[in-house]
């Protein structure tokens, strides 16, 4: 039966208890009971929520000076964290927090203006105030504690930023009680924002999250110091445990839970579709102090606005160093097993790094300005290589590849890859001596030839990255050169070319890589030229690809005999690096969350042409373009993304007469002819025509079977004046679009859902944004 709101004794028992932890609250308040109250006595649930928020507001106003008040605030915090997901899962309740009339009759007649605020707003503002509450979540600046309680409303919270870094130079004394209290409040904040999990994915950018929208608006007077605190706490964190082995086993690290929570709150507040709005200083031309330019009409979301306006070199350096240090943490191999602390929030860090590059172009240019970008690249390649066989980590594979695609759109990235690779991170790849470009190609080859089959939609992206960097690669190692030719061999078999409508794009990408290197970097690339000469039959076979129906059928027959997507033989893998473990598939029973489809590569990128002086100009997409082939990319049956469907506009201008309405596609001679005639083989054929006779002559004259002589000859050879006129360099730059914005939303919330297991905030509630699946 409904309990009167005025019955304080009844309601106080929910938060008066002295020592509870959030785990206790989850144990004491089972899901079934919350749902029962919601269905059977809704007015009680409404009153409970309203009372708990009221307690938080009172705590924020009084400044929580007594231990008792702090305990009440924390308990209300835990209780709301427990209950909110059950409010969100029921569509009838979703508007409850946004209504102004509190539930069941309220006690007292104090109807002042404050009461006109929706419950959600009161809750969010109270949490923001509590995050800068002296002696509760921040160090008090007053010396004496005699009755000089700081008035919480007169506080300038910018003086209480949690950690030194961007826009703040003073690093406060660490205080683990404050860290614990902040962590609990941030957990509640994240739970408030998680309403997004209970709405099905839609491409409507209009469905902005009202909780995030309000919290990141000018209504929140702590928006700037809170944004800065979250960013600085994450980027300043050093998990190594001060360099003492096993330190993390002796001392519990109170910072780490706070850093994880801060990273999660940060990426959720930055969930913003930049493709639908004018983002602020994208051109990198405006100047001014830390963040106070004359306001460009930036986004209303202040967190996105502040992020896009950071521009001091030392701030960029601090952020980049911090993110790189944390991403490299799982790679730090020590001689003592388990002696260094391993962090688990690399996926949140990758999302944060993505947001930084996407919303702040000056940061992107800063990252690429020095070889510091390699400190981001190597960990990403490590994660990609490590997760390639694990279907529960398909999302991690995607975000790693998206970041590399974004970076590869800038010339500097290709140039930086020429730096020799000397760090020996143990990775399950062949040993090689070479540059970071070799490392990238070898890892990509490994992903394509021995990754999980769900990664096939990423092949377009992986090869686009290689095409983007290829004009700048000064000298590939023999290992990497052989890997590229092995991919061409695998992708140009007739059964692969004829078995799916977009497979031939992969051959076009690889030919473009070879053409770029031969035309623009011939001098240092004798290894690649030698590999091309050795595998010349692959190019001749492509040039002579049969186009008659009978041969097409025969090519498809072969597919039935060799189910393996790509042969792993003749790839001469050699020995893997010492100390590495092979990439393992997911353990049975592992939970994973489904993802929405990612747009095809032609939606993900736009083409730019590099002119003589190195500047890029965007190429207008042809307006006459027909809709992409096949069906629109849509989530495959089990919710995994499939992005390969869309056709490649530049190479694929005609329609497929044979695509029947049922979606069953069969290759026809006309179709094969239409793209075979466009294969860019002229440069390679000319190279073979000139060099093969010379190499054969050397072998006959000197009776050679030794590669080194031939390589020496190729190093000093030249093709100046013999090759066709160099083609313009085409770069496919990532472009923001609502498809990827939605993908990031589902991926990010999926990560947060799976990572919050203690307490399991959302577990077993009716989440709609993704499905939870067991491997």
């Amino acid at each position: 039966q409904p309990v009167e709101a005025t019955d304080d004794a009844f309601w106080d028992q929910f938060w008066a208890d002295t020592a509870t932890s959030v785990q206790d609250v989850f144990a004491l308040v089972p899901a079934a009971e919350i749902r029962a109250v919601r269905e059977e006595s809704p007015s009680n649930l409404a009153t409970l929520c309203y009372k708990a928020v009221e307690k938080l507001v009172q705590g924020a106003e009084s400044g929580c000076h007594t231990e008792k008040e702090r305990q009440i605030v924390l308990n209300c915090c835990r209780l709301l964290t427990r209950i909110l997901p059950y409010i969100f899962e029921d569509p009838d309740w979703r508007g409850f927090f946004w209504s102004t009339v509190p539930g069941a009759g309220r006690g007292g007649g104090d109807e002042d203006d404050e009461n006109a605020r929706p419950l959600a707003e009161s809750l969010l503002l109270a949490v923001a105030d509590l995050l800068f509450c002296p002696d509760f979540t921040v160090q008090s600046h007053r010396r004496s504690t005699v009755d000089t309680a700081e008035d919480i409303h007169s506080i300038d919270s910018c003086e209480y930023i949690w950690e030194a870094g961007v826009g703040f130079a003073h690093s406060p004394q660490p205080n683990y009680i404050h860290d614990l209290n902040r962590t609990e409040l941030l957990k509640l904040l994240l739970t408030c924002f998680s309403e997004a999990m209970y709405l099905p994915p839609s491409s409507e950018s209009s469905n902005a999250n009202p909780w995030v929208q309000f919290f990141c608006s000018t209504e929140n007077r702590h928006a700037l110091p809170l944004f800065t605190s979250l960013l600085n706490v994450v980027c300043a964190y050093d998990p190594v445990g001060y360099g003492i082995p096993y330190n993390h086993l002796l001392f519990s690290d109170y910072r780490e839970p706070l850093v994880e929570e801060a990273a999660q709150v940060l990426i959720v507040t930055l969930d913003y579709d930049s493709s639908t709005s004018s983002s602020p200083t994208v051109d990198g031309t405006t100047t001014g102090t830390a963040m106070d330019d004359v306001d460009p009409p930036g986004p209303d979301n202040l967190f996105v606005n502040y992020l896009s306006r950071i521009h001091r070199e030392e701030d960029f350096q601090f952020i980049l160093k911090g993110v790189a240090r944390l991403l490299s943490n799982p790679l730090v191999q020590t001689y003592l097993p388990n002696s260094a602390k391993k962090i688990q929030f690399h996926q949140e860090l990758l999302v944060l790094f993505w947001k930084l590059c996407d919303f702040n172009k000056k940061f992107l240019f800063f990252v690429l300005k020095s070889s510091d970008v390699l400190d981001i690249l190597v960990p990403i390649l490590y994660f990609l290589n490590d997760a390639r066989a694990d279907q529960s980590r398909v999302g991690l594979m995607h975000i790693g590849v998206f970041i590399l695609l974004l970076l590869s759109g800038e010339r500097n990235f290709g140039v930086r890859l020429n730096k020799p690779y000397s760090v020996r991170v143990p990775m399950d790849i062949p040993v090689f001596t070479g540059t970071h470009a070799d490392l990238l190609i070898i890892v990509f080859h490994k992903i394509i030839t021995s990754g999980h089959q769900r990664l096939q939609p990423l092949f377009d992206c992986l090869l686009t990255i290689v095409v983007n960097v290829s004009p700048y690669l000064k000298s590939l190692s023999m290992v990497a050169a052989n890997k590229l030719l092995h991919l061409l061999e695998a992708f140009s078999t007739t059964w692969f070319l004829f078995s799916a409508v977009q497979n031939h794009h992969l051959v076009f990408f690889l030919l473009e890589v070879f053409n770029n290197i031969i035309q623009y970097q011939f001098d240092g690339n004798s290894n690649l030229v030698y590999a091309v000469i050795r595998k010349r039959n692959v190019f001749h076979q492509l040039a002579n690809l049969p186009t008659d129906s009978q041969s097409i059928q025969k090519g498809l027959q072969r597919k039935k005999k060799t189910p393996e997507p790509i042969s792993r033989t003749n790839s001469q893998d050699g020995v893997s690096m010492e100390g590495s473990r092979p990439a393992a598939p997911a353990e049975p029973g592992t939970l994973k969350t489904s993802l929405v489809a990612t747009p095809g590569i032609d939606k993900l990128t736009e083409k730019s042409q590099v002119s003589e002086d190195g500047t890029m100009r965007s190429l207008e997409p042809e307006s006459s373009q027909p809709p992409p082939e096949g069906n629109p990319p849509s989530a495959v049956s089990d919710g995994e993304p499939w992005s390969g469907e869309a056709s490649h506009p530049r190479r694929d201008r005609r329609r497929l007469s044979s695509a029947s309405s049922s979606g069953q596609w069969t290759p026809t001679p006309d179709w094969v002819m239409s793209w075979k005639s466009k294969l860019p083989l002229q440069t390679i054929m000319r190279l073979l025509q000139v060099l093969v006779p010379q190499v054969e002559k050397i072998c006959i004259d000197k009776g050679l079977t030794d590669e080194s002589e031939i390589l020496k000859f190729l190093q000093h050879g030249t093709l100046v004046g013999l090759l066709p006129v160099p083609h313009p360099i085409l770069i496919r730059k990532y472009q923001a679009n609502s498809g990827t914005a939605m993908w990031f939303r589902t991926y990010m919330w999926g990560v947060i859902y799976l990572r919050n297991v203690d307490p399991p905030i959302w577990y077993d509630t009716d989440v709609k944004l993704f499905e939870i699946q067991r491997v």
Side-chain angles (χ1 to χ4, degrees):
Q1 69 282 12
V3 180
E4 273 307 307
T6 43
D7 183 355
D8 286 336
F10 175 80
W11 298 110
D12 284 349
Q13 67 186 0
F14 286 98
W15 34 78
D17 202 7
T18 44
T20 50
S21 67
V22 67
Q23 285 78 7
D24 293 343
V25 172
F26 272 67
L28 291 168
V29 185
E33 276 186 34
I34 304 174
R35 289 194 176 111
V37 174
R38 187 184 70 195
E39 305 310 322
E40 289 149 30
S41 40
S43 68
N44 284 357
L45 184 60
T47 306
L48 184 62
C49 292
Y50 164 65
K51 286 284 192 186
V53 172
E54 191 179 49
K55 286 290 175 203
L56 290 181
V57 172
Q58 285 166 8
E61 283 179 352
S62 72
C64 283
H65 293 300
T66 66
E67 194 45 50
K68 183 167 192 253
E69 284 180 281
R70 289 174 201 158
Q71 203 52 58
I72 288 177
V73 162
L74 288 174
N75 282 338
C76 290
C77 212
R78 294 160 184 157
L79 192 65
L80 286 166
T81 303
R82 181 60 170 143
I83 291 173
L84 275 166
Y86 298 91
I87 300 274
F88 294 151
E89 74 174 358
D90 185 337
D92 297 339
W93 275 83
R94 225 166 272 149
F96 168 71
F97 270 86
W98 295 96
S99 57
T100 40
V101 187
R106 44 184 317 190
D110 48 339
E111 299 294 319
D112 54 29
D113 300 339
E114 235 354 73
N115 291 333
R117 269 201 188 286
L119 206 49
E121 295 186 5
S122 308
L123 171 57
L124 290 171
L125 293 177
V127 172
D129 277 339
L130 288 164
L131 286 168
F132 292 99
C133 184
D135 289 327
F136 180 52
T137 49
V138 291
Q139 223 60 59
S140 169
H141 289 187
R142 298 285 164 87
R143 285 288 163 267
S144 71
T145 46
V146 191
D147 201 41
T148 48
E150 292 173 75
D151 179 12
I152 197 130
H153 292 290
S154 66
I155 278 183
D156 174 8
S157 44
C158 285
E159 294 171 15
Y160 289 91
I161 287 170
W162 300 349
E163 186 56 76
V166 176
F168 193 67
H170 164 70
S171 186
Q173 246 340 94
N175 179 320
Y176 82 95
I177 301 280
H178 294 172
D179 279 359
L180 290 173
N181 294 342
R182 291 164 177 172
T183 306
E184 299 239 28
L185 285 159
L186 291 178
K187 220 181 256 311
L188 172 57
L189 204 50
L190 195 59
T191 310
C192 291
F193 296 158
S194 71
E195 184 179 8
M197 281 197 219
Y198 297 89
L199 302 170
S202 82
S203 52
E204 293 303 304
S205 51
S206 57
N207 65 359
N209 185 330
W211 296 83
V212 171
Q213 224 170 355
F214 179 79
F215 191 77
C216 299
S217 72
T218 45
E219 294 273 348
N220 178 1
R221 68 190 182 99
H222 302 293
L224 177 60
L226 190 58
F227 168 75
T228 314
S229 293
L230 296 172
L231 185 62
N232 291 355
V233 157
V234 172
C235 295
Y237 178 56
D238 186 353
V240 174
Y242 311 102
I244 306 164
Y246 298 107
N247 203 12
H248 65 108
L249 300 179
L250 304 178
F251 302 101
S252 172
D253 177 354
Y254 293 100
R255 227 338 100 116
E256 191 184 20
L258 174 65
V259 176
E260 291 205 356
E261 215 64 55
Q264 293 180 359
V265 169
L266 203 50
I267 60 177
V268 169
T269 50
L270 295 169
D271 176 20
Y272 179 78
D273 184 355
S274 58
S275 65
T276 55
S277 59
S278 58
S279 66
T281 52
V282 172
D283 56 351
T285 50
T286 54
T287 54
T289 56
M291 295 176 192
D292 63 3
D293 327 289
V294 180
D295 267 348
D300 300 331
N301 178 327
L302 291 180
F303 279 37
V304 174
N305 206 331
Y306 297 144
L307 184 79
S308 64
R309 284 170 33 202
I310 300 172
H311 67 267
R312 288 180 15 220
E313 294 262 314
E314 57 270 37
D315 289 343
F316 286 159
Q317 189 59 38
F318 164 75
I319 294 173
L320 180 58
K321 277 271 178 280
V323 173
R325 179 179 57 242
L326 291 169
L327 284 178
S328 325
N329 161 273
L331 288 57
V332 178
Q333 281 304 92
T334 49
Y335 293 104
L336 302 165
N338 307 324
S339 65
K341 188 174 175 81
K342 290 256 191 284
I343 60 156
Q344 301 296 325
F345 55 98
H346 48 274
Q347 302 195 82
E348 292 91 322
L349 286 165
L350 290 171
V351 176
L352 178 60
F353 183 76
W354 170 269
K355 301 278 181 197
L356 280 155
C357 293
D358 196 19
F359 294 152
N360 190 324
K361 287 296 172 266
K362 282 188 205 161
F363 177 74
L364 177 62
F365 299 142
F366 177 85
V367 169
L368 293 165
K369 201 170 67 175
S370 75
S371 51
D372 287 352
V373 64
L374 302 175
D375 298 335
I376 299 284
L377 170 74
V378 172
I380 288 180
L381 291 176
Y382 172 85
F383 292 130
L384 290 178
N385 189 54
D386 188 53
R388 67 178 192 266
D390 181 344
Q391 55 166 315
S392 70
R393 292 198 280 168
V394 169
L396 169 63
M397 299 293 295
H398 275 73
I399 187 167
V401 172
F402 283 159
I403 289 174
L404 298 183
L405 179 65
L406 181 70
L407 295 174
S408 74
E410 307 297 331
R411 171 182 178 275
N412 264 355
F413 182 64
V415 174
R416 297 283 161 243
L417 290 178
N418 290 309
K419 188 176 173 179
Y421 176 67
S422 49
V423 209
R424 285 284 168 249
V425 174
M427 285 165 89
D428 167 29
I429 53 172
V431 181
F432 70 97
T433 307
T435 65
H436 285 76
D438 295 312
L439 175 68
L440 177 125
I441 288 169
I442 291 166
V443 168
F444 282 11
H445 173 269
K446 205 67 165 159
I447 293 169
I448 291 173
T449 55
S450 66
H452 193 274
Q453 74 261 23
R454 292 239 173 93
L455 299 180
Q456 207 158 347
L458 279 177
F459 291 1
D460 273 351
C461 263
L462 291 167
L463 293 186
T464 298
I465 295 165
V466 181
V467 173
N468 282 349
V469 301
S470 58
Y472 312 110
L473 304 182
K474 292 199 167 18
S475 125
L476 287 182
S477 69
M478 193 55 99
V479 177
N482 284 332
K483 297 296 178 210
L484 286 175
L485 279 141
H486 177 238
L487 288 179
L488 183 70
E489 228 177 332
F491 289 150
S492 58
T493 58
T494 46
W495 75 255
F496 185 77
L497 284 174
F498 298 157
S499 60
V501 70
Q502 72 283 349
N503 282 356
H504 62 278
H505 298 160
L506 300 173
V507 169
F508 276 88
F509 283 136
L510 285 164
L511 291 175
E512 204 174 329
V513 170
F514 298 137
N515 289 339
N516 282 343
I517 294 178
I518 292 166
Q519 288 281 19
Y520 292 99
Q521 298 290 350
F522 180 81
D523 287 351
N525 273 300
S526 51
N527 287 331
L528 184 75
V529 174
Y530 178 61
V532 167
I533 292 175
R534 275 188 46 214
K535 294 280 186 190
R536 56 190 179 275
N537 62 325
V538 180
F539 299 98
H540 291 305
Q541 280 166 3
L542 266 175
N544 300 317
L545 190 72
T547 55
D548 58 293
S549 305
Q550 207 179 350
S551 307
I552 294 176
Q553 281 317 308
K554 208 149 117 202
L556 288 172
Q557 291 308 305
R558 245 180 254 164
K559 179 183 184 178
K560 298 194 175 69
K561 296 195 192 88
T562 45
E564 195 49 60
I566 283 173
S567 75
R568 297 177 197 184
T569 48
N570 72 13
S571 137
Q572 310 111 5
D573 249 9
V575 188
S576 271
M577 292 167 91
E578 196 179 343
S580 65
R581 294 194 318 270
E587 292 283 318
T590 308
L591 286 180
K592 64 186 182 98
T593 54
S594 62
L595 294 160
V596 292
T598 52
I601 193 76
D602 55 331
K603 297 271 189 308
L604 266 182
T605 55
E606 60 176 4
K607 292 196 199 58
S608 298
Q609 198 167 318
V610 182
S611 44
E612 298 294 312
D613 58 357
T615 54
M616 288 195 196
R617 59 184 187 82
S618 175
L619 296 180
E620 288 304 306
E622 293 83 356
S623 49
S624 61
Q625 220 190 279
E629 272 140 31
N631 11 17
S634 62
V636 173
S637 56
D638 63 358
E640 283 303 328
W642 173 255
S643 57
E645 260 95 324
S647 80
H648 207 296
R650 184 166 60 104
R651 313 214 171 93
D652 233 335
R653 209 71 38 65
R654 25 77 327 267
R655 240 357 54 219
L656 292 177
S657 49
S658 58
S660 65
S661 52
S662 68
Q664 201 45 56
W665 169 84
T666 47
T668 62
D670 284 352
W671 172 77
V672 179
M673 276 306 296
S674 69
W675 55 259
K676 180 188 165 181
S677 58
K678 298 195 188 80
L679 284 168
L681 287 166
Q682 307 81 305
T683 302
I684 294 170
M685 288 309 187
R686 184 78 188 116
L687 171 137
L688 292 172
Q689 200 182 348
V690 175
L691 292 180
V692 169
Q694 298 181 351
V695 170
E696 283 176 339
K697 186 173 185 310
I698 296 178
C699 293
I700 294 165
D701 291 358
K702 304 199 177 174
L704 275 187
T705 49
D706 180 25
E707 305 191 338
S708 58
E709 282 290 322
I710 300 169
L711 285 168
K712 203 173 296 173
F713 161 73
L714 291 174
Q715 265 157 15
H716 302 297
T718 171
L719 292 175
V720 173
L722 295 172
L723 291 176
V725 179
H727 55 284
I729 297 175
L730 271 187
I731 301 290
R732 294 173 185 81
K733 289 173 79 103
Y734 166 81
Q735 52 171 355
N737 58 70
S738 44
T740 40
M742 194 62 227
W743 184 88
F744 272 97
R745 183 175 306 159
T746 53
Y747 170 60
M748 168 184 82
W749 279 114
V751 168
I752 290 171
Y753 177 98
L754 292 174
R755 299 258 298 104
N756 283 274
V757 285
D758 184 26
I761 303 182
W762 300 282
Y763 189 68
D764 266 349
T765 58
D766 189 11
V767 174
K768 294 275 195 298
L769 185 62
F770 44 77
E771 290 170 36
I772 294 92
Q773 300 157 343
R774 270 188 199 283
V775 171

